Amino acid sequence: MTGDGTRAVHAGIPEAEAYRPPVPGPVLAAHYHLPGDPAVAPYSYGRTGNPTWTALERAVAELESPGEAAHAVVFPSGMAAVSAVFSLLRPGEAAVLPCDGYQMLPRARARLEERGVTVRVAPTGGDAQLDALDADVRLLWLETPSNPGLDVCDIRRLVDRARSLAPGALVAVDNTLATPLGQRPLELGADLACASGTKALNGHGDVLLGYAVSRDAELDARLREWRTETGAILGPMEAWLAHRGLATLQLRVERQAVNALAVAGELGRHPEVAGLRHPGLPGDPAHETAARQMRYFGCVVSFTLPDREHAERFLAALRLVHDATSFGGVRSTAERRRRWGGDPVPEGFVRFSAGVEDAADLVADVRQALAAARGA
Ligand SMILES: *Cc1c(COP(=O)(O)O)cnc(C)c1O
């Protein structure tokens, strides 16, 4: 098997063919020439399939499951992928969700409950998720590391427990923060690796994208049917941009992880910084589990400044780091997460996403912004 960098460069790229481009351009088509029986046509109508999606889906499947066949389905956003997976649940079935995950999950939970699905929630760190499992569980949805709190759960341990209690349960992992280079849920026993590719996978802050990958053909078919029926499809241009950017995924993920650790190291030296979290920090409560199941620890660092005004002064004083939401991009961003109202975090809580700038420049910027926020 090749290394991550090689795989990222070649994933989903067609065999070399004389006088053809190495990366085929986006196929813009609402329909295709379609003689005869549509059932045997690889492409018939644009809501059902598109060769640019196919190439990206092959790439994502290869990255999430190198060496073992898997199927990826791409969606126009991470939430579209989440909704597709949640659509597998029927009234009367039960799901276990994290209570500290992505801020849209409480809303997704309400939709599930409207449909008669029983939902139990538990935090990502500790043993509460294990305790929430029971024989009625049909879907265990994990998000590790969690956004924005950066707690980590032991995927294999939870998969084993879910399998022994409820043999028919599906385990899905939101792999947004880690990316498939940082963590491979399918190798850890999960049925589905899902993500918002809007973040680090695309990494350039110009595309919204989601995906779900499994090794099960029937599961794959059900997710594809959902996409066709709901019409939640990715534009070919977005698919092409994301695929083009995958060539640098390994470079970006590695550099961003190094930069995140450098920023976390600097933040740890300042007494006004509390609750510093990054799974790559040796002293972090999540480090031991993260080190067992992750290969890169991600680009996000979270921490808390004394209050809202202090955090706002810090964000305003940063020169290289944009005050913006989302994370995982080549340009560093940071935001006061509480401004959205959703996450259960303190007013001074900052989520920092390290980009691919020089680590020394980021560290210097963070240092001067902390000083400015103190009023020094
Ligand atoms: C952003 C995010 C999502 C939602 O993705 P969109 O592309 O914004 O729809 C889901 N899960 C996590 C962990 C995220 O960070």
Side-chain angles (χ1 to χ4, degrees):
M1 218 192 295
T2 56
D4 284 338
T6 309
R7 191 174 311 111
V9 165
H10 288 282
I13 299 296
E15 290 289 317
E17 207 182 314
Y19 320 120
R20 306 290 294 171
V23 182
V27 176
L28 303 169
H31 63 264
Y32 305 84
H33 293 297
L34 180 64
D37 182 3
V40 300
Y43 301 104
S44 54
Y45 183 57
R47 179 158 37 70
T48 322
N50 176 292
T52 314
W53 301 349
T54 306
L56 176 61
E57 286 173 341
R58 284 195 183 128
V60 171
E62 220 177 295
L63 294 175
E64 285 284 0
S65 181
E68 186 166 342
H71 319 270
V73 191
V74 291
F75 293 93
S77 71
M79 282 315 293
V82 172
S83 304
V85 173
F86 284 8
S87 81
L88 299 168
L89 291 161
R90 300 274 170 269
E93 293 182 331
V96 173
L97 308 182
C99 57
D100 53 353
Y102 184 58
Q103 61 167 343
M104 286 292 141
L105 282 183
R107 296 211 218 166
R109 172 191 181 175
R111 299 268 175 215
L112 284 175
E113 288 172 338
E114 274 169 22
R115 283 174 24 216
V117 174
T118 304
V119 181
R120 293 194 292 275
V121 297
T124 299
D127 284 339
Q129 285 175 315
L130 279 172
D131 297 339
L133 291 173
D134 214 334
D136 64 346
V137 170
R138 173 72 182 129
L139 175 71
L140 170 61
W141 180 269
L142 305 173
E143 183 181 311
T144 179
S146 59
N147 168 24
L150 301 181
D151 264 320
V152 165
C153 60
D154 187 328
I155 297 173
R156 192 175 285 286
R157 192 157 164 245
L158 282 154
V159 166
D160 289 346
R161 177 70 70 89
R163 296 261 183 274
S164 66
L165 284 172
L170 292 173
V171 181
V173 178
D174 185 327
N175 207 23
T176 300
L177 209 142
T179 82
L181 296 193
Q183 172 172 281
R184 296 193 197 123
L186 300 181
E187 290 181 358
L188 298 166
D191 301 282
L192 286 154
C194 309
S196 165
T198 310
K199 316 290 169 54
L201 190 87
N202 178 61
H204 291 76
D206 48 12
V207 164
L208 276 95
L209 166 73
Y211 67 79
V213 185
S214 79
R215 289 171 175 168
D216 183 295
E218 198 194 313
L219 206 48
D220 176 62
R222 288 180 66 189
L223 295 172
R224 271 172 209 283
E225 271 166 31
W226 167 264
R227 183 177 64 185
T228 298
E229 289 161 13
T230 59
I233 59 163
L234 185 65
M237 196 64 198
E238 282 76 7
W240 180 76
L241 277 169
H243 197 170
R244 183 181 189 266
L246 284 185
T248 57
L249 182 65
Q250 195 275 335
L251 296 173
R252 289 184 277 116
V253 165
E254 186 170 55
R255 173 74 161 248
Q256 287 173 261
V258 166
N259 284 356
L261 198 57
V263 166
E266 177 61 28
L267 287 164
R269 282 189 271 279
H270 298 263
E272 71 273 33
V273 172
L276 176 63
R277 295 297 304 266
H278 177 68
L281 283 172
D284 190 278
H287 183 68
E288 201 191 313
T289 309
R292 252 183 287 136
Q293 68 188 15
M294 299 181 75
R295 290 158 344 119
Y296 297 102
F297 296 113
C299 60
V300 181
V301 179
S302 61
F303 58 98
T304 302
L305 291 169
D307 53 37
R308 171 181 173 161
E309 291 69 30
H310 200 122
E312 284 175 346
R313 289 197 300 275
F314 169 74
L315 293 169
L318 288 165
R319 293 175 192 139
L320 297 175
V321 181
H322 297 158
D323 186 348
T325 195
S326 199
F327 61 85
V330 290
R331 292 171 196 86
S332 293
T333 57
E335 73 169 330
R336 197 178 66 81
R337 200 57 195 165
R338 189 70 202 151
R339 66 179 171 176
W340 295 95
D343 297 319
V345 294
E347 289 288 346
F349 181 100
V350 175
R351 185 181 70 188
F352 190 106
S353 171
V356 300
E357 300 88 346
D358 290 294
D361 292 335
L362 283 182
V363 166
D365 197 28
V366 165
R367 198 186 301 130
Q368 69 77 23
L370 284 171
R374 274 194 307 268

